[in-house]
Amino acid sequence: MKTFSLSCMVRLACIAAALHLAGCTDAQKGAEQDPEMAPLRHGWVDEQEMASLEDDLGVWPSYGRTYSEQRFSPASKINAANVSRLGLSWYFDLDTSRGQEATPLIVDGVIYLSTAWSMVKAIDARTGDLIWSYDPEVPRKTLVKACCDAVNRGVALWKGRVYVGSLDGRLIALDAKDGSVAWSVRTTDAGKPYTITGAPRVIKGRVIIGNSGAEYGVRGYISAYDAESGELDWRFYTTPSKDGKPEGAASDSTLAMTYPTWSKGGVWRETGGGGTVWDAMAYDPELDLLYVGTGNGGPWNREIRSPGGGDNLFISSILALRPDTGDYVWHYQTTPGDSWDYTATQHIILADLEMNGAVRKVLMQAPKNGFFYVLDRETGEFLSAEPFAPINWASHIDANGRPVENPMARYPETGKDWTAMPGPPGAHNWNPMAFNPDTGLVYIPQQEVGFVYTPEADFEVRDRGFNLGVIHPHLPDDAALVNQIGKTLKGALIAWDPVLQKEAWRHQYPGPGNGGVLTTAGNLVFQGAAGGELHAFAADTGELLWSAPAGTGVIAPPISYELDGEQYIAWLVGWGGAFPLAAGEMSFLSGKVVNASRLLVFKLGGGKELPESPSFPEPAIVSHNVTPVLAQAKAGERKYTQYCGMCHGDSAVSGGVIADLRASGAIADEEVWKSIVLDGALSGLGMVSFASELSEEDAEEIRAYVLSRAASSIDRNEAQPAQ
Ligand code: CA
C-alpha cells in the first residue's frame, strides 16, 4: 500500500509538473524508476521520455525506439565479443497462427505488443507472465479487404495508454494498467476496402494513424486524434478530392498542387487513387516535422487510373507535415506516376550525416522501387540516390531528383507486357531497416523478386478482390520452369553506406521475405530469416556471430532493452504476411516453415529450451475421380488468380499458413463448393461470399481449375517421388 501511494504521489507530481511544462525533476524520475515501484508506471511515455532516450537503456517506448526511427539500441552488454553465448531466457506462446509483424514495446519492465488480428498483450518482462490481454474481435470477413494477412505491426504508448489500429479500421485506446478500453473511434469508412496494419505514433499528445487498401480501391489519408479524448484533430488526404474542391481537410492547401497532376477522367475518381499511408512515419522534434511515406497508385495501371498520365501527387511520396495541424511543408515523390506498386511507405530513418564536409540533417528511405534516397529533411532537397538492388525500370535519378525511366517499363502506355525488377514485393518491403551511428551504416532487408505486368484491357472496377488494371501472372504448371524462376528470387541483409551510396557488406539468404532489423551499440545487427533462423552479425564487418532456431519463419524486427542490469533481445516470431499467402511454391524457397507464433526473449547464458515446432502440413491431395473439363479449368485459371490467389496461393499452392485448396474435400462436390464460394458458408473463418463478382459458372470454372491443379500435383509426385 505504501509503495502504491508513494508512487501515485510521484506520478501526480509528475503530471502536475508536466501540465506546467516544467517536467519532472531527475529525482522524481529516479524515484519512479525504482524497480519496486516500476510496474505501477503503467506504460508511461511522454515528451520528456522521448527526448531522453540516449541514456535510458531500459525502454523501447515507440515503434522505431526513438522518433528518428533508427532502431538502434544504446545497450552494449551483449556485444560482438560475447554474443555467441546468447540463449533463450523465456518465451510466451501467442494465441494466433497468422503472421507476426509487430515491434514489441517495453516500459518499466512491462512488454506491450500487438499480434495478428490486432490483439494486444501486456507481459511482465521479469516473469514472462501475462498481465492482460485485449481482443478487438475483428470480424474475420475483414480478410477479404486485406492484401497481406491479418497482421499488425505494433502499438503506441502515451501517458498510461496503449493505442492500436485494428484491421477493420478502428483506432483503440486502452488503459495500460488493465487493458480496458478508454476510447475507440472508427478511422475509415467501413463500406470501403480499408484496413489498418501499421503502428500508430504519438506526437505531442496526438495519435497519428494511417490505413491500407490501395490494391482494392481506396483514397489514402492520415489522421491525428487527441490522445486523451479520441477526437479527430486533423486529416490529410494524400490524393486530391475528385472535383479539386476543398473539403475541410488539412490537405486542402495542397489541392492547387495535386489536382492538376491527375487527369480529368479516369478510375481514380471512383477508387480514390491510392497513396495509402500504411507504414512509415518519423518525427523531428527540433524541426517539428512529421514525415510519412505514401503508397502506390490505385489501380496500379496509370492509363486506367489517370488516363494521359500525370505524376499523381502524392502517391509514392514522402510528405513532411506539421504534427499539430497536418499542414503541408514539403514533399518528395520517389516514383512519379507509379504503375508498379512502388510504394514509398517503407521505413523512414532520420540521422545527421557528414556529407561533403558538412553535417546534414537527412531523411533516408529504401522504398520498393530499389533506390536508396538521402534527402535534406528540413527542406526536402534531394541529396542523392543509388540502386541498392538490381532494377530495370529506371537508369538513375537525375540531379533534380527525378527518375530517368526505361520507356519499356511504361506497360500501360506501350500496351505490352513488362518484365520488371523489382516487382510489387519491392527491393525492400515493410520489414524495418536500422541505422547504427557508430558504423554509419544502414542495414536493409533487401530482396530480388521480379514480376510480369500485363495491362488489363477489359478492366472494370470490382466490388471484391484487387483492382489493379494488371492481369496477375501465375507460375507455369511445369516443375522445371518453376525451379528456374525460383532461382531468380533472392533475399539478403545488406549494410549500406548512405554517404558513399554503396554496399559495405551482405549476408545472402536462400529466398526473399526475411525479417526486420535491429542494431546495437554492441557492434551488432540482429535479423531473423524467413527460413526460421535468428542471426547476429558484426555491425562493422558483417561476420555471422550467432544463430539460433526460431521454430517458425521470422518477419518482424527484434528490440533490445536492459532490465535489472541485464540486456535482453526480444523478438516476435511467426510466419505469415503476404509471401506465404500469395507466392505459392515460391514461398518454400527459404524452406517449408510453419507458423508457431511466440515472443522469444534472449539473454547471455540463457538456457531455456524452445519447444519443437510442428512439421510443415504437407497437403494430402487425393484423387477425386473427377476429370475437370480442360476448357473449363483454363477459363478458371484467370478467375482463380484474380480473386483467390492472393490468399490461397499462386496456382492453388498454399504456403502453409492456411489450408491448401488442392487437398480440400470441397473441390470434389459442386454443391459444397458453391455453398462456400457463393453462399459464404465459411465467412466466419474469413472466406466471404464472392456472389457479387462470380456467377455459378465462374465458381465451377474455378473449381475445375483447382481440381486440375490437384490432379497435376498428383501426377508430378508420381513422376518425381519426394526426396
Ligand atoms: Ca501496394
Side-chain angles (χ1 to χ4, degrees):
M1 257 339 256
K2 197 179 160 210
T3 308
F4 177 80
S5 47
L6 179 56
S7 172
C8 276
M9 281 166 63
V10 171
R11 166 57 53 74
L12 286 170
C14 284
I15 294 169
L19 284 171
H20 289 95
L21 302 173
C24 300
T25 65
D26 285 344
Q28 283 166 329
K29 200 158 184 261
E32 278 219 322
Q33 282 171 345
D34 184 315
E36 269 189 43
M37 303 174 196
L40 293 171
R41 266 172 54 116
H42 298 308
W44 194 264
V45 174
D46 54 19
E47 290 89 347
Q48 199 187 14
E49 176 77 62
M50 290 305 293
S52 61
L53 287 172
E54 270 97 73
D55 323 313
D56 201 349
L57 306 179
V59 298
W60 191 290
S62 179
Y63 186 68
R65 190 170 191 276
T66 57
Y67 279 135
S68 62
E69 302 264 329
Q70 293 184 353
R71 290 184 175 269
F72 169 78
S73 168
S76 60
K77 283 184 178 162
I78 300 170
N79 54 55
N82 62 22
V83 70
S84 60
R85 294 201 293 112
L86 201 61
L88 190 62
S89 174
W90 57 272
Y91 64 86
F92 183 93
D93 286 321
L94 300 174
D95 51 354
T96 139
S97 54
R98 290 291 193 142
Q100 307 303 335
E101 295 189 351
T103 298
L105 305 186
I106 179 166
V107 171
D108 293 305
V110 178
I111 293 175
Y112 301 88
L113 57 84
S114 64
T115 71
W117 293 115
S118 334
M119 298 189 286
V120 183
K121 288 181 169 29
I123 298 168
D124 186 325
R126 290 190 173 85
T127 62
D129 292 336
L130 181 70
I131 300 171
W132 55 257
S133 186
Y134 168 75
D135 183 354
E137 295 175 358
V138 171
R140 276 14 186 189
K141 65 179 187 194
T142 310
L143 274 181
V144 77
K145 304 178 183 178
C147 67
C148 309
D149 204 353
V151 295
N152 187 282
R153 281 184 293 281
V155 298
L157 297 175
W158 196 255
K159 299 187 177 177
R161 284 196 178 150
V162 185
Y163 300 89
V164 67
S166 69
L167 191 69
D168 57 342
R170 289 169 284 161
L171 177 65
I172 302 162
L174 305 172
D175 188 324
K177 180 171 74 228
D178 56 14
S180 61
V181 176
W183 53 258
S184 172
V185 293
R186 174 155 283 291
T187 78
T188 61
D189 179 343
K192 295 196 168 137
Y194 282 106
T195 51
I196 298 178
T197 58
R201 315 291 201 278
V202 187
I203 297 166
K204 298 199 287 181
R206 287 183 182 81
V207 191
I208 320 281
I209 187 80
N211 45 58
S212 330
E215 269 63 53
Y216 296 87
V218 299
R219 182 181 178 202
Y221 61 86
I222 184 166
S223 314
Y225 291 86
D226 185 289
E228 187 59 36
S229 67
E231 264 171 60
L232 180 67
D233 274 341
W234 55 259
R235 180 162 287 172
F236 187 102
Y237 289 97
T238 60
T239 65
S241 55
K242 58 184 165 189
D243 52 8
K245 301 247 165 69
E247 50 199 327
S251 41
D252 284 355
S253 66
T254 63
L255 282 167
M257 186 188 336
T258 59
Y259 190 67
T261 67
W262 294 76
S263 72
K264 296 286 172 266
V267 167
W268 76 274
R269 287 160 189 281
E270 199 176 335
T271 61
T276 47
V277 182
W278 58 262
D279 198 49
M281 291 183 223
Y283 174 60
D284 183 326
E286 236 173 84
L287 300 173
D288 194 30
L289 287 176
L290 160 70
Y291 306 97
V292 302
T294 74
N296 55 277
W300 290 355
N301 184 327
R302 185 179 61 175
E303 202 47 33
I304 292 169
R305 182 176 74 236
S306 172
D311 286 354
N312 296 173
L313 293 173
F314 295 113
I315 63 164
S316 302
S317 301
I318 296 162
L319 287 164
L321 308 175
R322 292 288 173 210
D324 291 338
T325 55
D327 285 347
Y328 167 94
V329 179
W330 59 256
H331 80 276
Y332 175 81
Q333 190 173 39
T334 60
T335 314
D338 163 57
S339 280
W340 310 277
D341 190 18
Y342 287 167
T343 70
T345 42
Q346 279 58 46
H347 187 185
I348 289 171
I349 289 179
L350 313 181
D352 294 346
L353 297 181
E354 198 179 318
M355 299 175 80
N356 301 320
V359 175
R360 303 288 303 247
K361 288 175 182 292
V362 308
L363 174 156
M364 300 182 280
Q365 192 190 43
K368 278 188 182 180
N369 76 16
F371 285 99
F372 187 94
Y373 292 88
V374 181
L375 308 179
D376 181 311
R377 71 173 177 269
E378 188 166 4
T379 61
E381 181 194 346
F382 168 80
L383 297 178
S384 67
E386 290 295 332
F388 64 92
I391 62 164
N392 65 359
W393 72 279
S395 61
H396 63 285
I397 309 295
D398 71 18
N400 299 317
R402 206 172 163 92
V404 179
E405 288 178 9
N406 178 344
M408 294 309 293
R410 285 277 170 199
Y411 67 90
E413 284 76 10
T414 66
K416 294 189 185 126
D417 285 6
W418 164 243
T419 303
M421 187 64 91
H428 170 221
N429 208 306
W430 64 269
N431 315 73
M433 51 189 198
F435 172 73
N436 190 317
D438 299 338
T439 62
L441 299 173
V442 179
Y443 306 94
I444 312 169
Q446 181 249 39
Q447 56 189 12
E448 297 175 32
V449 184
F451 190 83
V452 181
Y453 296 83
T454 302
E456 187 179 11
D458 51 354
F459 174 84
E460 276 174 36
V461 176
R462 303 169 180 92
D463 284 346
R464 286 255 189 272
F466 282 177
N467 281 301
L468 307 177
V470 169
I471 295 172
H472 228 68
H474 60 87
L475 293 167
D477 193 3
D478 177 325
L481 259 178
V482 169
N483 194 30
Q484 254 182 30
I485 294 169
K487 285 190 176 136
T488 69
L489 272 68
K490 291 173 188 158
L493 170 65
I494 63 168
W496 190 260
D497 186 324
V499 177
L500 301 176
Q501 283 280 17
K502 64 173 209 183
E503 191 175 307
W505 56 259
R506 74 161 49 207
H507 177 84
Q508 199 69 41
Y509 289 106
N514 300 293
V517 176
L518 160 75
T519 186
T520 73
N523 186 29
L524 290 171
V525 179
F526 292 88
Q527 188 191 27
E533 316 83 37
L534 306 172
H535 296 305
F537 305 89
D540 51 359
T541 64
E543 189 189 345
L544 179 61
L545 299 173
W546 170 83
S547 293
T552 181
V554 186
I555 49 181
I559 63 161
S560 187
Y561 56 89
E562 279 190 13
L563 186 62
D564 305 333
E566 179 104 55
Q567 187 184 350
Y568 295 85
I569 310 288
W571 228 312
L572 218 54
V573 300
W575 186 225
F579 204 53
L581 287 186
E585 282 190 61
M586 290 302 117
S587 66
F588 304 141
L589 284 170
S590 303
K592 287 188 169 179
V593 289
V594 294
N595 181 293
S597 291
R598 289 193 180 97
L599 174 68
L600 304 179
V601 180
F602 296 86
K603 66 173 183 179
L604 292 178
K608 187 95 178 168
E609 217 168 294
L610 187 69
E612 211 169 298
S613 286
S615 54
F616 183 84
E618 289 293 347
I621 303 169
V622 294
S623 179
H624 291 294
N625 294 323
V626 189
T627 311
V629 179
L630 202 64
Q632 219 180 4
K634 192 74 203 151
E637 187 178 75
R638 183 173 158 188
K639 287 165 190 162
Y640 174 89
T641 306
Q642 168 66 35
Y643 292 106
C644 320
M646 68 281 283
C647 291
H648 290 285
D650 187 301
S651 309
V653 176
S654 168
V657 174
I658 62 176
D660 194 301
L661 284 185
R662 295 168 302 162
S664 163
I667 62 173
D669 188 312
E670 184 180 342
E671 289 310 313
V672 173
W673 182 260
K674 271 198 294 197
S675 74
I676 297 168
V677 176
L678 302 179
D679 304 336
L682 298 181
S683 60
L685 299 175
M687 175 59 201
V688 297
S689 160
F690 279 75
S692 67
E693 298 301 308
L694 300 173
S695 65
E696 288 197 7
E697 195 187 344
D698 294 331
E700 267 304 275
E701 286 171 357
I702 293 172
R703 189 169 77 91
Y705 172 66
V706 179
L707 275 167
S708 77
R709 293 289 304 136
S712 99
S713 309
I714 292 169
D715 289 350
R716 199 189 294 174
N717 284 344
E718 281 171 2
Q720 300 173 316
Q723 290 175 347

